[in-house]
Amino acid sequence: MLHLSRLTSLALTIALVIGAPLAFAAQPAPAVAPAGTAATSKPPLPLEELRTFAEVMDRIKAAYVEPVDDKTLLENAIKGMLSNLDPHSAYLGPEDFTELQESTSGEFGGLGIEVGSEDGFIKVVSPIDDTPASKAGIQAGDFIVKINGAPTRGQTMTEAVDKMRGKIGQKITLTLVRDGGTPFDVTLARAVIQVKSVKAQLLESGYGLIRITQFQVKTGEEVSKALAKLRKDNGKKLNGIILDLRNNPGGVLQAAVEVVDHFITKGLIVYTKGRIANSELRFSATGKDESEAVPMVVLINGGSASASEIVAGALQDQKRAVVMGTTSFGKGSVQTVLPLNNDRALKITTALYFTPNGRSIQAQGIVPDIEVRKAKITNEADGDYFKEADLQGHLGNGNGGADKPTGSGGKPKAMPQDDDYQLAQALSLLKGLSITSGR
């Protein structure tokens, strides 16, 4: 099994614990324990390792082929310290920290793809809707083997991401491999990515679709507005809702909690566990269910990660929705951003999150209640069947209403479910749930 060894983003994939980071700073321990108390001081410093570190620095400065200053060496040491903890912990320089802050607000520069590294290759975790990447046809699971003709094999994730960044409007060519096939080129222009995190529309009368592309600070508020819009467009209470979280790389933890809160009246949503007290958090419903308890289906796939899995897992455990699609990504850890001086920060894993039933999603993901894999839909043309209403002298309908001869239905308006097999299956299930619930 391939191991996803490194995950970073041109979008946002982490869960931010808002308001908690600064509380994690521990008070300095006294240099000497008070007399008469048990020894509670910290373990002695690893002097041998510190001597080795200092010696390595001196050797590099003296013998490396090009001069290297102390600042560069120390920054690289810090980066290595963080990057070797787990795939999601990192040292954020000024540019990275600024990008992270911009991405949570919903506007940032780039291509609009979530990337990771697998066995030394750069892999697309998911493209973001309505960005250069999604418009160019880049798909989750594609491997980026070259950037502007330069092979990515052997590059660090940071190096590859830096090469994909650039001036707005500037073109870049990615060489992709899909499903082990022949490499092909995709040329796209860098853009300011303005991600609208929530979209909503009626699929049919009574049945609404809410699509969340990623979890930003205002996503909970946007879902509330989407529910109101669907009810207004429908003119009456909905019969059912589909919540589409496919290829949603995650985002702000609090936003995921707010979204779930719009669909349940009571109960636990998610809780986190870590080594320090501030990482022990529990989030429960506030009783402001805005969905009117209508039947619900949640769509997920392998590109659904982090905050998406919190939402799907909570609604699944609370028996509020049927989860459909394929197993999600499996990122069950919480990252906290700890600001440092000089516009820098640490992004460090501080906790694991658990669904209401105590499930850890880490490295396993959410397993759907009904597995539906992606497939292509090919509609067959309807034959022009001769109907009763075509017969000369036919009787009229005793209950009134116009006759419906052949061809009277007209061509239906194209809808998203027409060429989206998973969405079409979700809508069919939703109709069945609506009928059996008496709506």
Side-chain angles (χ1 to χ4, degrees):
M1 180 180 293
L2 295 177
H3 174 62
L4 191 63
S5 60
R6 179 72 177 153
L7 179 64
T8 185
S9 65
L10 297 181
L12 176 69
T13 58
I14 66 164
L16 288 174
V17 181
I18 304 299
L22 296 181
F24 289 178
Q27 293 296 320
V32 180
T37 63
T40 58
S41 59
K42 293 181 179 179
L45 289 172
L47 296 179
E48 190 63 35
E49 285 74 15
L50 289 173
R51 290 191 188 99
T52 301
F53 179 84
E55 183 180 357
V56 169
M57 268 193 73
D58 286 340
R59 294 289 180 92
I60 292 173
K61 289 172 63 179
Y64 188 64
V65 66
E66 294 179 352
V68 187
D69 59 69
D70 289 341
K71 179 181 176 182
T72 300
L73 287 173
L74 288 170
E75 280 220 343
N76 289 339
I78 294 170
K79 290 177 182 178
M81 195 187 310
L82 271 295
S83 65
N84 282 287
L85 292 176
D86 68 81
H88 308 296
S89 295
Y91 172 72
L92 304 178
E95 289 185 6
D96 295 327
F97 190 26
T98 299
E99 181 189 351
L100 178 63
Q101 292 170 312
E102 289 174 348
S103 63
T104 59
S105 68
E107 181 175 327
F108 55 98
L111 303 178
I113 50 176
E114 166 74 18
V115 294
S117 119
E118 193 170 284
D119 290 348
F121 291 99
I122 307 301
K123 183 179 181 180
V124 177
V125 174
S126 63
I128 300 173
D129 290 356
D130 300 324
T131 63
S134 64
K135 292 175 182 177
I138 294 176
Q139 298 180 10
D142 288 348
F143 284 92
I144 303 173
V145 295
K146 291 182 181 179
I147 300 172
N148 284 335
T152 59
R153 178 72 170 174
Q155 292 184 18
T156 67
M157 181 59 58
T158 301
E159 290 171 340
V161 169
D162 285 344
K163 287 184 178 180
M164 286 188 275
R165 293 175 182 155
K167 294 182 180 179
I168 303 302
Q170 192 177 59
K171 290 190 175 180
I172 180 172
T173 298
L174 304 180
T175 303
L176 307 175
V177 172
R178 182 173 298 161
D179 298 328
T182 304
F184 62 95
D185 290 343
V186 173
T187 300
L188 57 166
R190 298 179 178 94
V192 174
I193 309 299
Q194 293 180 316
V195 179
K196 182 175 173 58
S197 70
V198 178
K199 301 174 184 177
Q201 71 177 102
L202 287 176
L203 298 176
E204 290 183 9
S205 177
Y207 298 96
L209 169 67
I210 296 177
R211 162 98 180 128
I212 304 179
T213 58
Q214 65 180 125
F215 289 87
Q216 300 167 359
V217 173
K218 295 184 178 180
T219 297
E221 178 184 330
E222 291 179 18
V223 167
S224 177
K225 292 178 180 178
L227 286 166
K229 179 182 182 296
L230 289 173
R231 284 192 295 268
K232 181 180 178 182
D233 292 347
N234 195 52
K236 57 181 179 180
K237 185 175 180 178
L238 295 167
N239 295 328
I241 297 169
I242 296 173
L243 182 63
D244 188 357
L245 301 177
R246 291 173 298 173
N247 293 327
N248 181 324
V252 180
L253 173 62
Q254 186 62 40
V257 171
E258 291 173 7
V259 168
V260 176
D261 199 24
H262 291 316
F263 296 103
I264 63 175
T265 56
K266 61 181 180 179
L268 188 61
I269 294 174
V270 65
Y271 66 95
T272 63
K273 284 184 178 181
R275 289 178 55 228
I276 50 183
N278 304 70
S279 61
E280 302 281 335
L281 303 172
R282 295 177 70 87
F283 299 91
S284 298
T286 62
K288 58 178 182 181
D289 177 11
E290 299 181 19
S291 66
E292 301 180 299
V294 299
M296 186 175 180
V297 174
V298 177
L299 279 174
I300 60 171
N301 64 3
S304 305
S306 190
S308 298
E309 295 171 294
I310 289 175
V311 173
L315 295 173
Q316 187 180 51
D317 281 4
Q318 294 290 0
K319 306 297 183 184
R320 176 62 185 87
V322 176
V323 177
M324 179 181 280
T326 55
T327 302
S328 62
F329 183 78
K331 181 183 178 295
S333 60
V334 178
Q335 280 67 49
T336 301
V337 176
L338 304 173
L340 304 173
N341 55 9
N342 299 325
D343 299 322
R344 290 165 169 78
L346 299 182
K347 175 166 67 76
I348 187 169
T349 300
T350 55
L352 295 178
Y353 66 73
F354 297 83
T355 70
N357 287 351
R359 292 184 293 162
S360 171
I361 299 162
Q362 179 61 25
Q364 293 185 0
I366 295 291
V367 178
D369 300 306
I370 302 175
E371 184 178 63
V372 178
R373 297 195 168 274
K374 187 177 180 180
K376 292 184 178 179
I377 297 178
T378 302
N379 292 319
E380 294 185 2
D382 289 333
D384 289 332
Y385 295 104
F386 198 71
K387 298 181 178 180
E388 172 72 15
D390 295 317
L391 297 175
Q392 187 175 0
H394 66 271
L395 296 174
N397 186 284
N399 293 324
D403 293 343
K404 295 183 179 180
T406 302
S408 62
K411 189 175 181 179
K413 178 184 176 182
M415 297 299 290
Q417 64 269 28
D418 295 342
D419 56 4
D420 185 334
Y421 179 70
Q422 291 173 316
L423 183 58
Q425 291 297 300
L427 181 58
S428 295
L429 174 61
L430 197 59
K431 289 179 179 178
L433 294 174
S434 176
I435 292 170
T436 55
S437 66
R439 294 184 184 278

